[in-house]
Amino acid sequence: MKTIEAPIADKIPTELVKHNDIRVDNYYWMRLSDAEKEADNPSEKTQKVISYLNDENSFFKEESKHTLKFQDDLFQEMKGRIKEDDSSVPYYKNGYYYITRYDVGSQYPIYTRKKDSLSAKEEILLDVNILAKGYDYFDIGGMSISTNNNLLIYGVDPTGRRQYTLFVKDLSTGEVREDHIELTTGSATWANDNQTFFYTKKDMVTLRSDKIYRHVLGTSPEEDVLVFQEKDETYGVYVGKTKSKKYILIGSYSTLQTEYQYLETDTPTGKFKVFQPREKGLEYSLTHYDDAFYIHTNKDGSTNFKLMKTSETATDKSNWVDVIPHREQVLLEDMTIFKDFLVLEERENGLGKIRIIRWDQSQDYYLPFPEETYAAAVLGNSEFDTPWLRFAYNSMTTPSSVIDFNMHTKEEVIKKEQEVQGGTFDKKNYVSKRIWVKARDGKKVALSIVHRKDTKIDENTPIFMYAYGSYGHTIDDGFSTTRLTLLDRGFVFALAHIRGSEYLGRPWYEDGKLLNKKNTFNDFVDCAQFLIESKMTSPAHLYAMGGSAGGLLMGAICNMNPELFHGVISAVPFVDVVTTMLDDSIPLTTGEYDEWGNPNNKEFYDYIKSYSPYDNIEAKEYPNLLVTTGLHDSQVQYWEPAKYVAKLRDYKTDKNKLYLHTNMEAGHGGASGRFDALKEVAMEYAFILDLEGIKQ
């Protein structure tokens, strides 16, 4: 029987020197620029890199061919749980009900609306299935409709690199106008004259969002006015509109600082005013109501943020006054303003809460949620003068519901419950709970788990651990139809709420970044060891997965404690941290110095190097590993996982599986179609299930 050998990448040593420290990178040659990847006549170097990636794909395909039928079965099973002819709950805005729907068999959504009434004739705004024909990847960016409801701006990304071209569609004729603008973030903001819009362009090399332009319909984009350029390379910039529709806002942001400029939407050619000049460590965001701005901010050392307000005519921070003071144990995450009510999204002890306050102070209460752990979030709520609050609720065992809540009467109307198709799902068959794990430094880390009630929990139970742990991003305990594929085969799913998120407030994030980053990795390892020591599983049955910064987590734990895990999936992993953070030509680098540290500073260089997965690969045994990437990834360049796998192959002393799968047509988010995305999940699950000896 013919077998295929694992690809062995050429070693071409490149010396990388910083702070008198020499690192030798044998696989630095794998880096290709966009121009090299897209050249009509690819160079010898380009051909060599693409050939290597294709060889890795061929190796993985050959090695996993015995699971191909199983992968298809898993895909059909997961697809079978989806209501194919599904549609969103209609939302009302400016005289129209907007609905997103899918047809049976279609990969992409159809965006529609109905005037005044849900019984009115459907108007198709965009059928993405038609637009996506002929493309291997296709994504629609933000959609923005003019004040008079006649014009639609939308962005198109045909590669997955998050470089969108803006188009303008005349909804009265159905024609796409000649106005189209390249290299944008994919969204735009209309002024009230229905002729002018503002948009954000990206730097051609770094893809940093750095320029705001003003465009007038019918003019050439070359004539567009540069309204603002963000020259600080650690900042990005965007443009939007207040819910009151009175102001257009330009927001400049870095990890730890923000700054806003504002302009009345009725005067698009006017000059933007700075709301509050940027200051190191000062974060704030704005909502406008009546004659005041409401400010969500960490001013005055408010680590968990507070709500302040100021008049439209005096926006400097010296004029801000408290509305909701800072609280040590409650993180204020967001706010939504209505004519009669202020709605706050808070987080306490890891759980999201929705608080409703009447402006006249006659009511102040929280929405009740019945389960021990759950996910709840306020949805769009684009209308201002309404008593109805729309929010979403789900848990690890409860499918998602969209609920309208009358803030006056407290009446609750379930507008939609997620339908799990196939006839086999019953939420009563599953159980979830939170476990608090004591980390090595004494901090308690929440571990949310879910499994079938009839799953036996002992040393032979397979557990699939997941975590992210960066940027303050918190993953809530939500429902997943795809996860049922694992649970119904005897797996326990465990979500670790490690430091680096804001699960326990902003301090939880601060304790998992910069020179505290190793706490993120230690928390995950300590949760894994707890599961093993509690005899809920064993290293032969423990699996882990993380993506992007969560892929960095996977790389770190594989270097730290490879003996704890039988298999690991590392998706689009950020694993070459030192080299990437020293290269300010790469997208995201300069804007993330406040997250990881700037390695041009020796203290940060030494610390990052001490955990960077690529730099800490050693000659030892590693778990079975599946590493995934996308050729057009703009967030984590494909060469990081490619180099990582090549170096692992050279160093590791075991005979465990090591695979690299590159989606040659996609970027950071993987496949764009809803069914193609499921095929990628089926591939990943088949890898884990095969390791566990589960074949069907």
Side-chain angles (χ1 to χ4, degrees):
M1 185 175 103
K2 183 180 178 182
T3 59
I4 183 171
E5 295 292 326
I8 303 298
D10 288 346
K11 291 183 182 179
I12 305 175
T14 299
E15 283 196 357
L16 304 172
V17 183
K18 191 71 179 179
H19 305 299
N20 296 317
D21 179 54
I22 300 174
R23 293 179 301 129
V24 177
D25 188 345
N26 288 323
Y27 308 104
Y28 194 85
W29 60 268
M30 291 187 181
R31 298 166 54 116
L32 294 177
S33 67
D34 285 349
E36 288 175 310
K37 282 186 291 183
E38 296 164 6
D40 292 332
N41 296 305
S43 67
E44 184 178 333
K45 174 190 173 184
T46 300
Q47 293 179 52
K48 181 176 180 178
V49 172
I50 299 300
S51 177
Y52 171 71
L53 297 177
N54 284 329
D55 287 347
E56 285 284 3
N57 280 350
S58 296
F59 175 65
F60 175 51
K61 185 176 180 180
E62 178 68 22
E63 285 278 294
S64 59
K65 67 180 182 181
H66 64 286
T67 70
L68 287 178
K69 183 181 183 305
F70 190 27
Q71 288 184 45
D72 187 60
D73 290 344
L74 295 175
F75 164 69
Q76 296 297 341
E77 176 184 305
M78 289 186 283
K79 181 183 176 185
R81 296 194 191 102
I82 295 174
K83 189 174 188 294
E84 288 198 41
D85 56 344
D86 203 3
S87 63
S88 66
V89 177
Y91 73 89
Y92 187 77
K93 185 176 182 180
N94 196 23
Y96 283 84
Y97 285 94
Y98 288 86
I99 305 162
T100 303
R101 64 175 176 81
Y102 286 88
D103 286 344
V104 173
S106 67
Q107 290 262 32
Y108 296 97
I110 301 168
Y111 296 102
T112 73
R113 70 179 182 180
K114 296 182 178 183
K115 184 172 176 57
D116 295 327
S117 167
L118 289 173
S119 61
K121 182 182 177 182
E122 177 187 77
E123 176 185 352
I124 294 179
L125 304 175
L126 290 177
D127 185 338
V128 185
N129 299 284
I130 295 173
L131 297 175
K133 282 184 179 177
Y135 292 95
D136 293 307
Y137 178 96
F138 196 86
D139 186 52
I140 292 290
M143 297 170 59
S144 179
I145 292 179
S146 58
T147 306
N148 64 6
N149 291 313
N150 291 334
L151 298 162
L152 165 67
I153 302 172
Y154 62 97
V156 169
D157 171 16
T159 67
R161 198 155 173 78
R162 302 186 184 182
Q163 297 169 276
Y164 291 85
T165 298
L166 291 180
F167 295 91
V168 181
K169 183 176 181 179
D170 187 324
L171 297 177
S172 62
T173 66
E175 297 298 316
V176 176
R177 297 173 58 99
E178 292 186 5
D179 308 74
H180 65 276
I181 304 165
E182 298 179 345
L183 200 63
T184 77
T185 58
S187 62
T189 299
W190 287 100
N192 282 347
D193 63 359
N194 301 299
Q195 291 293 309
T196 308
F197 64 81
F198 297 83
Y199 63 91
T200 311
K201 289 207 79 166
K202 292 186 170 187
D203 181 275
M204 188 173 293
V205 177
T206 66
L207 301 187
R208 181 171 69 92
S209 306
D210 65 342
K211 299 181 185 72
I212 304 294
Y213 283 90
R214 184 179 69 234
H215 178 77
V216 178
L217 291 180
T219 64
S220 168
E222 295 178 0
E223 300 173 18
D224 289 356
V225 175
L226 177 62
V227 174
F228 176 69
Q229 180 172 5
E230 180 52 73
K231 295 183 178 179
D232 187 329
E233 293 183 347
T234 65
Y235 280 76
V237 66
Y238 65 93
V239 62
K241 188 185 292 186
T242 59
K243 183 178 176 180
S244 68
K245 302 180 179 65
K246 184 174 181 179
Y247 292 102
I248 293 169
L249 301 176
I250 293 175
S252 294
Y253 62 92
S254 69
T255 305
L256 297 177
Q257 292 87 222
T258 49
E259 178 184 75
Y260 284 87
Q261 301 172 60
Y262 63 105
L263 174 71
E264 290 199 24
T265 50
D266 288 333
T267 58
T269 58
K271 185 176 181 180
F272 280 84
K273 299 176 184 177
V274 174
F275 186 86
Q276 158 60 39
R278 64 190 66 180
E279 289 183 7
K280 185 173 178 58
L282 177 63
E283 299 174 65
Y284 68 94
S285 59
L286 305 176
T287 296
H288 176 257
Y289 168 56
D290 201 10
D291 60 353
F293 283 103
Y294 285 77
I295 307 137
H296 177 234
T297 181
N298 66 346
K299 182 178 177 288
D300 305 321
S302 303
T303 307
N304 272 331
F305 288 76
K306 63 180 177 178
L307 184 61
M308 307 185 78
K309 69 177 287 189
T310 193
S311 75
E312 294 173 308
T313 56
T315 63
D316 181 88
K317 69 173 187 177
S318 62
N319 299 292
W320 302 358
V321 295
D322 280 4
V323 177
I324 303 293
H326 177 253
R327 292 155 292 171
E328 294 290 341
Q329 302 303 320
V330 180
L331 173 67
L332 179 59
E333 292 189 311
D334 207 351
M335 59 177 168
T336 305
I337 285 179
F338 295 86
K339 180 175 180 287
D340 294 329
F341 293 92
L342 168 66
V343 177
L344 304 179
E345 291 180 83
E346 303 175 348
R347 186 175 298 273
E348 184 175 11
N349 197 34
L351 298 179
K353 296 183 174 184
I354 297 176
R355 182 181 177 186
I356 296 171
I357 305 171
R358 193 178 172 100
W359 288 115
D360 64 10
Q361 302 300 312
S362 62
Q363 289 178 297
D364 184 345
Y365 59 94
Y366 288 88
L367 294 184
F369 299 123
E371 297 180 85
E372 178 184 354
T373 179
Y374 57 84
V378 172
L379 297 178
N381 293 285
S382 57
E383 289 296 294
F384 175 70
D385 187 3
T386 175
W388 291 97
L389 167 72
R390 177 165 292 177
F391 69 96
Y393 176 87
N394 67 124
S395 74
M396 284 183 154
T397 59
T398 303
S400 183
S401 292
V402 175
I403 301 167
D404 280 356
F405 180 83
N406 190 305
M407 295 179 282
H408 284 303
T409 65
K410 299 187 180 180
E411 175 190 0
E412 190 173 283
V413 179
I414 298 176
K415 304 296 290 186
K416 180 179 180 179
E417 290 181 294
Q418 180 182 4
E419 297 180 43
V420 182
Q421 303 288 293
T424 61
F425 173 75
D426 184 345
K427 64 173 291 184
K428 296 176 183 177
N429 292 332
Y430 303 86
V431 61
S432 67
K433 63 180 179 179
R434 276 197 305 179
I435 301 169
W436 292 92
V437 177
K438 189 174 182 180
R440 63 193 66 184
D441 64 354
K443 296 289 179 69
K444 289 187 176 180
V445 181
L447 190 62
S448 299
I449 65 172
V450 60
H451 57 83
R452 285 186 63 96
K453 288 181 178 178
D454 56 7
T455 295
K456 185 179 180 182
I457 308 297
D458 59 23
E459 296 99 320
N460 297 314
T461 305
I463 293 185
F464 189 75
M465 289 184 68
Y466 188 88
Y468 185 71
S470 291
Y471 302 106
H473 177 64
T474 302
I475 301 176
D476 282 311
D477 296 335
F479 187 76
S480 165
T481 60
T482 57
R483 188 189 301 147
L484 296 173
T485 291
L486 295 178
L487 303 186
D488 289 348
R489 288 172 173 81
F491 269 75
V492 173
F493 178 81
L495 176 58
H497 299 289
I498 55 182
R499 276 171 276 188
S501 75
E502 289 185 343
Y503 188 76
L504 293 178
R506 186 57 176 253
W508 201 243
Y509 169 44
E510 301 289 346
D511 209 18
K513 64 196 271 285
L514 296 174
L515 298 175
N516 295 320
K517 189 63 211 172
K518 289 182 184 178
N519 287 334
T520 300
F521 317 137
N522 292 340
D523 285 355
F524 193 88
V525 168
D526 292 346
C527 285
Q529 288 179 324
F530 170 85
L531 292 171
I532 293 168
E533 291 167 4
S534 301
K535 300 192 184 305
M536 296 176 65
T537 190
S538 61
H541 301 284
L542 183 56
Y543 304 90
M545 180 177 180
S548 194
L552 160 64
L553 169 66
M554 295 299 103
I557 63 150
C558 283
N559 284 335
M560 292 165 59
N561 292 92
E563 76 283 355
L564 296 180
F565 305 94
H566 188 213
V568 172
I569 298 174
S570 193
V572 291
F574 178 37
V575 283
D576 190 14
V577 189
V578 178
T579 306
T580 290
M581 292 306 297
L582 282 170
D583 187 349
D584 60 14
S585 72
I586 293 177
L588 301 186
T589 293
T590 56
E592 302 205 344
Y593 289 152
D594 286 332
E595 178 73 25
W596 311 104
N598 184 349
N600 291 295
N601 175 312
K602 189 174 187 303
E603 181 182 24
F604 285 116
Y605 175 90
D606 290 341
Y607 188 77
I608 294 171
K609 185 185 174 186
S610 72
Y611 69 73
S612 174
Y614 185 66
D615 292 289
N616 287 280
I617 292 172
E618 298 175 327
K620 61 185 179 185
E621 294 188 356
Y622 281 84
N624 296 285
L625 269 161
L626 170 60
V627 181
T628 66
T629 186
L631 181 63
H632 302 292
D633 195 332
S634 61
Q635 311 303 106
V636 178
Q637 309 294 318
Y638 74 88
W639 61 73
E640 290 198 42
K643 294 193 321 177
Y644 174 69
V645 168
K647 187 174 180 180
L648 267 176
R649 275 233 174 80
D650 186 42
Y651 274 77
K652 74 189 194 83
T653 60
D654 57 82
K655 294 184 179 180
N656 288 333
K657 302 176 188 299
L658 174 60
Y659 302 134
L660 172 68
H661 179 261
T662 304
N663 187 327
M664 304 298 282
E665 310 297 340
H668 198 62
S672 55
R674 58 173 176 161
F675 299 136
D676 287 344
L678 283 181
K679 289 177 181 177
E680 293 189 340
V681 176
M683 176 189 75
E684 293 163 353
Y685 281 4
F687 172 75
I688 293 295
L689 291 166
D690 189 50
L691 290 175
E692 187 59 21
I694 297 173
K695 308 295 184 183
Q696 60 182 18

